[in-house]
Each structure stands twice: as C-alpha cells, then as structure tokens.
Amino acid sequence: MQHRAGSSSSQARTGMPLGSEVRLELATRAAGLGIWDWNVLDGTFDYSPRAREICGLPPGDEPLRLEQVQARTHPHDLPRTHGLLLRALDPQIRESASYEYRVVHPDGQVRWVVAYGQALFAPVDGEVRAVRYIGTLQDVSQWRQLREALETSQARLQLAIEAGRMAVWEVDLRTETMVGSPELNRLLGFPEDATPTMEQMRAGYPVGERERLHARMVEALARGERFVECELRYVWPGGEQRWLLLRADIRVEDGQPARMMGVLMDITDRRRAEDALRASEARLKLAQRVGRIGVWEWELPSGDARWSREMYLLFGLDPDAGITPDEAWRAGVYPEDRVGVDKAVRQSTESGQPVDIEFRIRANGETRWILSKGTPVTDSDGRRRMIGVNQDVTGAHRERIALEDRNRALQEAALQIGRERERVFELSRDLFAVAGFDGYFKVVNPSWTRILGYEPDALLARPFLDFIHPQDRGSADAVLACLRRGHVAPPFENRMQCEHGGWRWIAWTAVAEHDRIYAVGRDVTQEKLAAQELEAANRQLRDQIESRERVEATLRQMQRLEAVGQLTSGVAHDFNNLLTIVLGNLDLIEMSVEEPRVRRRLELMRQAALRGATLTSQLLAFSRRQRLEPKAIDLNGTVHGMGELLRSTMGGSVAVATRLQQALWSALVDPTQIELVILNLAINARDAMPVGGSLTIETANVTLEAEPRQPGEPAPGDYVAISVIDSGTGMDEDVRARAFEPFFTTKGVGKGSGLGLAQVLGFAQQSGGGVRIESRPGAGTTVRVYLPCAQAGAAVKEEAPDDHAHAEPLAQRRFALLVDDDSAVRDVTAMRLRRLGFEVLEAGSGGAALDLLDRMEQVDLLIADFAMPGMNGVEVAQQARARRPELPVLFVTGYADQTALAGVGEERVVQKPFRDDELERKVRAVIGG
C-alpha cells in the first residue's frame, strides 16, 4: 500500500519494517497483484492502488466500507463470496482458499478476479475473534478468455470428431501399445467401457488384410512418404463386417517406424451405397436389354445423333453393321409419323419442355409401335442437346386398343344395366327411396303405394319421420346422425304407418352419399309375427327343459339318498344292537357302583352311546327309513315349549326372538322329530355366528303355486312353514348348492358330522314337505321347512304323561318268550324284562322260539327282534299268532322297515338302543298294565 508506506499506523498494523513494505509493494506491482487489508473491528478496508484499479474503485487512500466493496461485486457472485467470507472469519473454520468472482466497474465492464485472503484472530473481550482479514487480488480476465478460447477450440475439435464419427488413435510400434479416443471402441465393435488388447483388436482383421495394410505402409516409406491412407475390412466380435478408412502419419526414429498417429472412420454405409450404385447400374443395363429400351442423344442444331446398342436392336438392325443413326431413322420410321416426330422435337427444343410421342417403325418386316421420351438440355458452353429413351410398346398399344374396345362395350352394357335397374326400381316389391338430410323423401318407387297405400305426392310432401312409429323415432334419429357423420349405418328396423292406420315392420339398409340418403326397405311384418310365435314356443320349450332338469336333479338327489339309505340300512341294525348292549350293561354296572367318580365316568360313557344312537337316528331320518308317528300339532306351542331350551343352547351372545303367526294351521308331523329339527337348525345358526348375533324362529301359513326349482323344495300346495333366521356369515352359491349333501360340512374337523341339514331334509320330505334355503355371504341365512297341514277339524293331540316311568314290577308271575339272534342283546333285554318280574325264555332263532312256544303252556308275551337270519320277527309273530291268536307281541329293532312293519302300530315297536324306560312302558301297554 504505497500511499501509506511511511505511516506509523501502517507499521503498527502490519508489524513489518518499512523496507519490507517497499519490497512487497514492488513485488506485487511486478506481479500485477492488489493488496487489501480489512480491519474487522472497525469495518474499514485499505485497498492498494492496484486493488482499487482491479475493482474499479476510485483512487485515493481514504478507508473503504464493506458496502462499497460489495457494490463492485457481481450480483450473481455476491452470495457465494459472502458465504466464503463468513467461513474465513469463523474461528472454528478459519478457511483460507483462493476463489474467483466477477467485479463490475462503473462503466459496466466486467472483470474476473482471483482473491486470496487469510484472517488474523485475537482475544477480544475474552472471546477469540477475527480482527483483520488480509489478502491479494489478481485480474485473471485475460487468462479466463484464453482458457475459454482453448475450451471452445477443444469443443469444436471434439464436435468435428464426433460429427465425422472419427476415432483418434496413436500406436507405439516398438511396445505395441495403443491409446485412442472413446469412439475407437465403437468403430471396432467393442463395448464403450471395454479395454481391448492388441491381440483382440488384431483378431478383427480378415485373412490377408493386416498384411496388405503393412505392405502399403512399407511402400509409402520406400517412396519417402510418411502419410498412409487406405480402406480396409474389419470384422466385429459379433461377426458383422465393416469397412474402415485409415489415415495415419508415420513417425520414424533411427531409420525405423516408431509411432503412428491418425484417425479411423467407418465408411461402411458409403461402400454399401457404392456397391448399390454399381448394382443399380448393372440392373439398369439389364432392364434396358430385357425391356428393349434404347437410349439416344441428339445434338442441335447440327443434327448429330448417337444411339445405344438397344436402339439398333429396336429397329431390327445389327449394332456393329456401321449404319448411322440418321440412316436407321429414315429407313425405319413410317414417313407420315416421321413428320410428326420432327415437329414435336422442334417444339420441345424451342419451348424447353420434354417430348413424349408414339410412332411406328418397320423392323424385320413387322410394324412396331415405339414410345419416345426426351428432354432438351443446354450445356455450360451453350450447346443444346436432346437426350431420351425409346421403348417398344407394341404390346401395350395393342392392349390399349383392345381396352378402348372393351370400354365402349362396357359403356353400352352400363346403359343397358341402367335401363334394367330402372325397371327393377319400378317393379321391385321392396321399398326404394332417396331422401335428403333435410328430412324429406326425394324419390320413392311404386312399392310404397302397394305396401303402405300412400301416393308418391303424399310421401314427398311430409317429413319421413311422420311415417315412423313414435317409439321407433329415437333409433331412426341415431341412424340419421350416423349417416351425417359419414359412417356406414348398420341394418335397422322400424314400424311404418299405413294409410289406413295400421303399422308394418320394415327392415332397412341405408347409405349416404353427399347430401343424399339411399335406402332399401323390406316388409318383414310376417317374419316378425312368426318370430314372436317362435319366441313363445321357445319360452315354452325352455320352461319344459328347466322342468325336466329339475326333475333330473331331484332324481339324482333321490338316487344319492337311496344309496346312503341302503348303506344306512345295512349297518343300522348291527350298530343299534351294539349300542343296546353298551347301554344295558352300563345300567347294570351303574346299579352296582356307588363311587361318585366311577358313576361320573359311567355317565360319560352313557352320553357317548346316546350320541351314537342319535347319529344313527339322523342317518335313518336322512334316508327316510326312520319310523315316524305323524300327529296334528300346534307348531306355535312347540316353539313356546322349546324357548328355554333354545336360549340356554344359544348362550349369552345370541339373542333369541320369535315371530309366530296367529291362527296357524295344525301341522301333521312327528312331534319328537320336529323338536329335533328346530334344535338342529338353531345349533347350525349358532355356529354360523361365532361372535354373536340374533336368531329368530318364525311360523307362517304358506300356499305354494310354483313348481320346485331345486331338489328338496316342496311341491305346490298348502303348508305350515317354520323358519329359522340368523344374522351369521351366510353361504355362497357353491355351499348353498351342496348344503343338503350327506357328510358335507364347512365346520372344522370334529365339529360336525355333515348330517344336520341332511336330516332336516329327510324328515321334511318323509313327512310330505320340503326345505328351502335363502342366504348370501355376510347377510345371514334363512332355512324354511315346509310341513304338511293336518286335515280340517283334526284335533291337536297333547302327549300324555308317562305314568309307568318308574312303576313297580308286575304283581303276578308272567312268562316272556324273547327271540333275538344276538346273544348279548338277548342278555340285556332279558335283564330288563326280569326287572319287570318276567320269567324269560330265550331263543336265538325263529324256529327255536316256535319250538319253545309249542312246549310251554304259559307264554304271556312274545318279544321278537325284527331283523334275524332265516325267519324275521314279523314271520315269527305271524306263526306264533297262528298257534296262539291272543298272544301279545312286541317288536324290538334297530331298523324299522316301513314296508314290512306297515301294519304294526308304533305302540308295539321298540327302537334299539332302548332309551330310558321305553321297553318297560310298551311292555306294560301290550299286556294291559
């Protein structure tokens, strides 16, 4: 800072001797540097004269403020320089780095400067702070211009290389190493990021190509040349062959080639174009020869002419015979045609327009037609020429004459067709019409009068929509809109009003051209009537087919039921015999055991056996082989009586409600089985509501008129319906279709036998009714059971209490003859009879029983198993009654065949396994107490 070199204050700030400052000032002036010193504490700047000159600040030695310095900084660079300043003054960072930015002089000149500064830190008020910031400035505008010019030059060079698709390369022939631009990999067929070796690059030379290239280089060096240029073939790694142009400069050291530098360009497209051009020229010569096209050239005004070989051949002359074009022309062209050709050529020459003319020649004694086309051209020296081609068009000329003859014949035929179409238009039984988009007919044929009764004038005077049925006008408007858009209208039908007031169905086909609509209509009224009759017949046929399908579905269901029934009947007897043995022996053991834990175990065994009996009962009910006792009952009373049982079965999470119809008809059903049905459906509904819900029992009088649509549904008639409605998960179509299948269940393993709904269906159908299910997923399920009505006036029977449930043994000694082929069942049954006071005679077959009956004088009761080998229980009873007509008979059975026991009252049949005191009660009933 020359202007303050002698100032003591300056010495105090910098701590430098005066001589050092002078030397520093001289050094900075020589280097073109400016120096600045910022006193951070008072915010003043000292700028050297060079620094002020660089920044465009006014000369002088007065201190500067920060605002003055920032005012000279380019606005776009100010945020960045300010951020760097804060980092330099931060005691934690203390960044000292050079940075470039722009300054703006007062005259608008923009200069680039490089600033370098370093902050001095000292304690101030107990805190380390920046107290001074000293640095240098250098004007680098000229250097930046040179750098930008260099970058621009390099960019242009790179652009030229990229535009020319050239690769720059250098090879050291002594070390056999190569470096090249990125484009080199693309030209040699390698990936952009690959680094191929010399061996990999040499592998692309076809056989002999590398040797040819080396020979060219040796020849150039022998001639004293250092530049080599040649085209070569190269095969990419994928097998594709390319053509490359090599241009190289050879550097020689110690008399030997040492290095090569140059460029490589892909000229494959150019080579292919040249090959295509040569092939095209060859094809052109071939085409001229095959197509008999001759080329000629005529100079004006000298009249000198040159002909190709094909021209002589066109005229039937030998090209090598030495005949001049003028001689050939005069000898070959018809004289009358030559005059016209000469005139056309002169006119073309004067106007500069091409000539196109046909003429006749005589070649080899035959007349031929030649098409000549020529164009006048003027050379650079002013000479005028006519260049053209001649082609033999004799065949085309003859075809054109024939075509003209055919066209005349076709025109005559078209006139005849027009006359015939006019005749068809007049005589056709279809409706022909031409209409405009203004909505009026323009032309109609006589069929309109014949079919609809209107005269043509009446049709043309009114809008055609007036003749269309009001219900069909919407579709007619849609067709008109389609035709207005230029689209093809599909065939359509509508009703047209007759003059006498009726309607006719017309099938239309219409097209539009310009502003006209051309339409043809056919009367299809009779077809419509026939179609309606056919549709009615089809509906009747579909109804018959659906009815047959329902019958077939019902038959298939019955066949399945029959199959399960046969299976059930085969095992029911034996299974019930086993349960009879189990339950009977449990009774005996229970009578002799007082230990509570043992009795509890015995009770569990009893419950298990009873569940087995219930399962057998369900199977029999499903297969309709269980014996029912239908009675006239009041279903409302049955539901009331089951209220407490249903609420306890549902638990606290399911609300139970009833909707019972007043004046409900009596139902003719088995009272015990209907309670099981209601309970079964309620349990199914509870399982479908795992998180709770509502259950409703509903009764109603129902009269059905429609035929059943699904197997299991009731036939038309009067029914008493009881419905179980839940708010559970519901069923989808597949589950609902299979709901009545035996053993089908959606419950988990061990949670259902799959016989609940099957038992309900079996009971309803055996009683003379049916079942319907209404359900949707998430919307709950309604199972509606239809039961037959009791006859009018039938009394509703109440079950009498069982007065003999715990009666004492018989007062007098009685004898019972027990017949059963199963000894264990016999033993249990005999035990129960002895408890009643009977003396029991046991027989294992029907024959043995009849022998005992013949030997014993006193037999008070015959108890026979129904299903026995050889002679069943009914046959034993018949023969026993033949011997002793007054002998009471009681049947025990595990499977009550309804046909065989049709004449036996329910009071004389005991179902195995014996439940509670049913055997004792019925024994007392048949022997009179």
Side-chain angles (χ1 to χ4, degrees):
M1 288 163 277
Q2 186 178 1
H3 60 285
R4 303 190 63 176
S7 172
S8 61
S9 62
S10 175
Q11 292 177 6
R13 282 195 305 272
T14 63
M16 298 175 59
L18 180 60
S20 299
E21 289 194 5
V22 172
R23 286 195 295 272
L24 177 61
E25 180 67 24
L26 292 174
T28 55
R29 183 183 304 169
L33 294 176
I35 299 176
W36 48 267
D37 184 356
W38 179 21
N39 188 330
V40 180
L41 296 179
D42 62 12
T44 60
F45 286 82
D46 280 340
Y47 265 50
S48 69
R50 177 59 180 160
R52 289 174 176 264
E53 179 185 349
I54 291 173
C55 295
L57 295 167
D61 57 356
E62 71 278 1
L64 301 173
R65 305 299 298 177
L66 178 62
E67 294 78 7
Q68 293 176 279
V69 175
Q70 288 181 339
R72 297 274 69 85
T73 303
H74 196 285
H76 292 172
D77 298 340
L78 187 60
R80 178 171 55 85
T81 57
H82 185 70
L84 293 172
L85 176 64
L86 294 178
R87 293 177 61 83
L89 299 181
D90 190 333
Q92 303 298 324
I93 301 176
R94 302 191 181 192
E95 183 172 276
S96 60
S98 61
Y99 52 92
E100 293 184 16
Y101 67 96
R102 289 167 291 179
V103 296
V104 183
H105 286 204
D107 59 0
Q109 180 183 8
V110 177
R111 308 291 294 176
W112 278 95
V113 300
V114 173
Y116 177 80
Q118 186 168 2
L120 300 180
F121 296 87
V124 177
D125 297 332
E127 180 183 1
V128 176
R129 293 178 53 191
V131 296
R132 294 178 64 190
Y133 190 31
I134 305 173
T136 62
L137 287 175
Q138 183 178 9
D139 189 336
V140 293
S141 299
Q142 187 175 5
W143 175 80
R144 279 190 65 95
Q145 291 174 357
L146 292 175
R147 187 177 67 181
E148 290 174 357
L150 178 60
E151 291 175 352
T152 302
S153 177
Q154 289 176 342
R156 289 198 189 102
L157 176 59
Q158 184 65 29
L159 181 61
I161 292 174
E162 292 177 356
R165 308 299 295 271
M166 294 185 295
V168 181
W169 54 268
E170 181 177 355
V171 176
D172 191 327
L173 299 176
R174 295 166 299 183
T175 61
E176 291 192 341
T177 58
M178 171 182 279
V179 294
S181 64
E183 186 70 12
L184 183 62
N185 275 5
R186 187 192 67 81
L187 292 181
L188 298 183
F190 293 102
E192 183 179 352
D193 56 350
T195 309
T197 63
M198 290 295 292
E199 288 75 11
Q200 290 175 318
M201 289 188 284
R202 287 171 180 165
Y205 288 110
V207 177
E209 196 70 12
R210 185 162 172 256
E211 290 75 9
R212 186 174 66 85
L213 180 61
H214 184 266
R216 290 287 299 274
M217 183 181 69
V218 172
E219 292 174 2
L221 291 175
R223 293 192 301 267
E225 299 176 356
R226 289 173 34 187
F227 182 77
V228 176
E229 178 176 340
C230 68
E231 297 179 0
L232 60 97
R233 290 173 297 146
Y234 192 83
V235 180
W236 282 2
E240 181 181 354
Q241 177 173 295
R242 308 292 293 181
W243 277 95
L244 304 177
L245 174 62
L246 175 71
R247 291 175 178 165
D249 184 62
I250 306 172
R251 301 296 174 90
V252 178
E253 296 180 6
D254 299 331
Q256 296 293 328
R259 288 182 300 130
M260 292 179 65
M261 293 180 294
V263 295
L264 195 66
M265 290 185 291
D266 190 327
I267 59 171
T268 304
D269 293 339
R270 192 195 76 188
R271 287 291 300 235
R272 289 174 179 171
E274 292 173 352
D275 293 342
L277 178 59
R278 285 191 291 270
S280 177
E281 291 175 348
R283 286 194 296 270
L284 177 59
K285 292 179 180 178
L286 178 62
Q288 289 177 357
R289 185 167 62 252
V290 174
R292 303 188 67 187
I293 299 175
V295 180
W296 54 269
E297 183 176 344
W298 185 21
E299 288 191 5
L300 301 172
S302 66
D304 294 337
R306 286 185 292 275
W307 281 12
S308 68
R309 295 179 59 85
E310 290 299 327
M311 277 290 292
Y312 284 100
L313 295 175
L314 281 177
F315 279 71
L317 302 173
D318 183 0
D320 301 322
I323 303 174
T324 65
D326 185 64
E327 294 172 345
W329 174 261
R330 293 182 179 278
V333 180
Y334 276 63
E336 59 270 27
D337 292 350
R338 190 167 60 243
V339 175
V341 173
D342 291 342
K343 180 180 179 181
V345 171
R346 283 195 301 271
Q347 290 177 350
S348 174
T349 302
E350 294 171 358
S351 65
Q353 297 298 319
V355 66
D356 188 340
I357 191 171
E358 287 186 6
F359 56 88
R360 292 167 296 168
I361 66 172
R362 185 171 299 279
N364 298 325
E366 180 185 1
T367 298
R368 309 293 296 175
W369 280 90
I370 302 297
L371 172 63
S372 182
K373 293 187 177 184
T375 301
V377 295
T378 302
D379 296 338
S380 59
D381 56 1
R383 291 187 306 167
R384 291 179 299 164
R385 292 181 299 148
M386 180 76 74
I387 301 174
V389 295
N390 283 3
Q391 183 181 9
D392 188 336
V393 293
T394 304
H397 183 81
R398 292 170 180 171
E399 290 177 357
R400 185 171 66 248
I401 298 300
L403 181 61
E404 291 174 354
D405 293 340
R406 285 197 299 271
N407 284 339
R408 284 192 293 271
L410 288 174
Q411 289 174 359
E412 180 60 31
L415 292 175
Q416 180 63 26
I417 291 172
R419 290 190 290 270
E420 292 175 353
R421 286 181 177 176
E422 185 68 23
R423 190 67 173 163
V424 170
F425 183 83
E426 295 293 332
L427 299 179
S428 174
R429 300 187 64 83
D430 292 336
L431 302 178
F432 286 73
V434 179
F437 285 124
D438 59 357
Y440 286 85
F441 288 119
K442 307 302 180 185
V443 180
V444 294
N445 70 335
S447 289
W448 288 81
T449 304
R450 184 167 52 253
I451 295 175
L452 300 180
Y454 297 102
E455 293 297 330
D457 293 341
L459 291 166
L460 302 181
R462 293 167 53 189
F464 52 71
L465 286 177
D466 288 354
F467 300 96
I468 298 176
H469 195 284
Q471 295 178 359
D472 299 340
R473 290 175 185 172
S475 60
D477 287 336
V479 172
L480 287 174
C482 179
L483 292 172
R484 283 193 181 96
R485 292 193 297 269
H487 298 165
V488 176
F492 63 98
E493 296 179 354
N494 56 32
R495 285 164 288 182
M496 304 292 291
Q497 189 176 26
C498 299
E499 186 180 28
H500 54 73
W503 299 92
R504 306 292 293 179
W505 277 97
I506 309 297
W508 293 99
T509 300
V511 296
E513 183 175 351
H514 303 300
D515 60 345
R516 290 290 186 265
I517 301 171
Y518 300 89
V520 178
R522 183 169 58 89
D523 187 350
V524 293
T525 305
Q526 296 302 320
E527 289 88 335
K528 281 286 186 179
L529 295 175
Q532 292 173 0
E533 294 176 359
L534 179 61
E535 178 61 25
N538 286 337
R539 283 197 300 271
Q540 183 178 3
L541 180 59
R542 284 195 296 269
D543 293 341
Q544 292 174 354
I545 292 174
E546 290 176 359
S547 176
R548 180 174 178 177
E549 289 176 347
R550 288 194 298 271
V551 171
E552 290 176 349
T554 303
L555 178 60
R556 286 193 296 270
Q557 180 70 7
M558 292 175 63
Q559 289 172 342
R560 287 196 292 269
L561 294 176
E562 182 63 24
V564 175
Q566 292 176 359
L567 174 64
T568 303
S569 63
V571 300
H573 178 265
D574 292 339
F575 190 57
N576 280 329
N577 280 348
L578 294 176
L579 292 175
T580 301
I581 297 168
V582 172
L583 289 171
N585 285 284
L586 285 174
D587 287 342
L588 290 175
I589 296 173
E590 190 175 10
M591 293 172 59
S592 61
V593 174
E594 298 297 335
E595 175 63 34
R597 287 184 300 176
V598 177
R599 293 181 68 85
R600 186 166 60 253
R601 297 290 182 186
L602 292 174
E603 180 61 26
L604 292 175
M605 294 170 66
R606 177 188 298 278
Q607 293 300 324
L610 289 174
R611 282 199 299 271
T614 301
L615 178 60
T616 306
S617 175
Q618 288 177 334
L619 285 170
L620 290 170
F622 167 71
S623 60
R624 309 186 198 178
R625 296 176 182 263
Q626 182 166 343
R627 189 178 179 85
L628 299 179
E629 288 187 80
K631 299 176 183 178
I633 65 169
D634 178 12
L635 284 182
N636 287 347
T638 302
V639 174
H640 276 304
M642 295 182 65
E644 189 61 34
L645 174 62
L646 290 173
R647 280 187 287 274
S648 62
T649 303
M650 294 298 100
S653 62
V654 178
V656 180
T658 58
R659 289 201 297 265
L660 307 180
Q661 179 172 335
Q662 300 298 322
L664 186 69
W665 298 334
S666 299
L668 187 63
V669 292
D670 187 311
T672 303
Q673 292 298 326
I674 189 59
E675 291 182 358
L676 290 176
V677 165
I678 296 172
L679 185 61
N680 199 339
L681 293 176
I683 292 173
N684 271 358
R686 180 198 65 190
D687 294 342
M689 298 182 287
V691 296
S694 61
L695 175 75
T696 303
I697 310 295
E698 179 182 272
T699 59
N701 300 326
V702 178
T703 299
L704 298 180
E705 298 179 355
E707 292 292 333
R709 303 187 64 85
Q710 300 291 336
E713 293 186 355
D718 294 333
Y719 296 95
V720 181
I722 182 166
S723 304
V724 178
I725 307 166
D726 67 66
S727 60
T729 56
M731 307 178 188
D732 57 26
E733 283 291 338
D734 294 337
V735 173
R736 191 164 67 249
R738 301 184 59 192
F740 294 118
E741 291 184 9
F743 308 112
F744 173 76
T745 179
T746 58
K747 301 177 184 177
V749 177
K751 295 186 178 180
S753 63
L755 290 173
L757 288 177
Q759 177 194 8
V760 172
L761 176 62
F763 166 75
Q765 290 185 326
Q766 189 175 357
S767 300
V771 182
R772 282 182 180 171
I773 294 182
E774 301 169 5
S775 182
R776 291 200 316 271
T781 301
T782 299
V783 181
R784 189 165 284 112
V785 182
Y786 296 87
L787 302 171
C789 300
Q791 294 182 355
V796 176
K797 299 184 179 179
E798 299 290 341
E799 291 293 328
D802 187 358
D803 297 332
H804 303 286
H806 303 284
E808 296 297 327
L810 298 173
Q812 63 187 56
R813 184 182 182 188
R814 304 284 180 94
F815 288 87
L817 177 56
L818 175 60
V819 188
D820 199 311
D821 60 314
D822 191 319
S823 59
V825 175
R826 241 184 7 254
D827 183 64
V828 171
T829 308
M831 177 270 296
R832 287 181 173 270
L833 292 173
R834 291 189 181 98
R835 286 169 57 187
L836 279 175
F838 278 97
E839 294 289 339
V840 181
L841 305 175
E842 298 183 33
S845 65
L850 293 176
D851 288 342
L852 284 174
L853 186 62
D854 291 337
R855 292 199 305 269
M856 294 295 295
E857 292 184 2
Q858 182 180 354
V859 175
D860 301 297
L861 176 64
L862 173 62
I863 300 178
D865 184 18
F866 168 70
M868 292 186 297
M871 184 182 298
N872 62 33
V874 174
E875 294 171 339
V876 172
Q878 289 174 348
Q879 296 208 23
R881 284 290 185 88
R883 291 173 172 78
R884 300 186 184 187
E886 302 300 327
L887 178 64
V889 179
L890 192 64
F891 296 99
V892 292
T893 181
Y895 164 52
D897 190 310
Q898 297 179 5
T899 303
L901 296 175
V904 180
E906 179 63 24
E907 70 280 358
R908 290 195 293 141
V909 178
V910 181
Q911 185 72 36
K912 297 179 185 178
F914 307 138
R915 299 174 185 268
D916 301 328
D917 295 325
E918 183 182 10
L919 176 64
E920 290 83 347
R921 178 170 53 81
K922 291 196 175 182
V923 165
R924 291 179 183 276
V926 297
I927 66 173

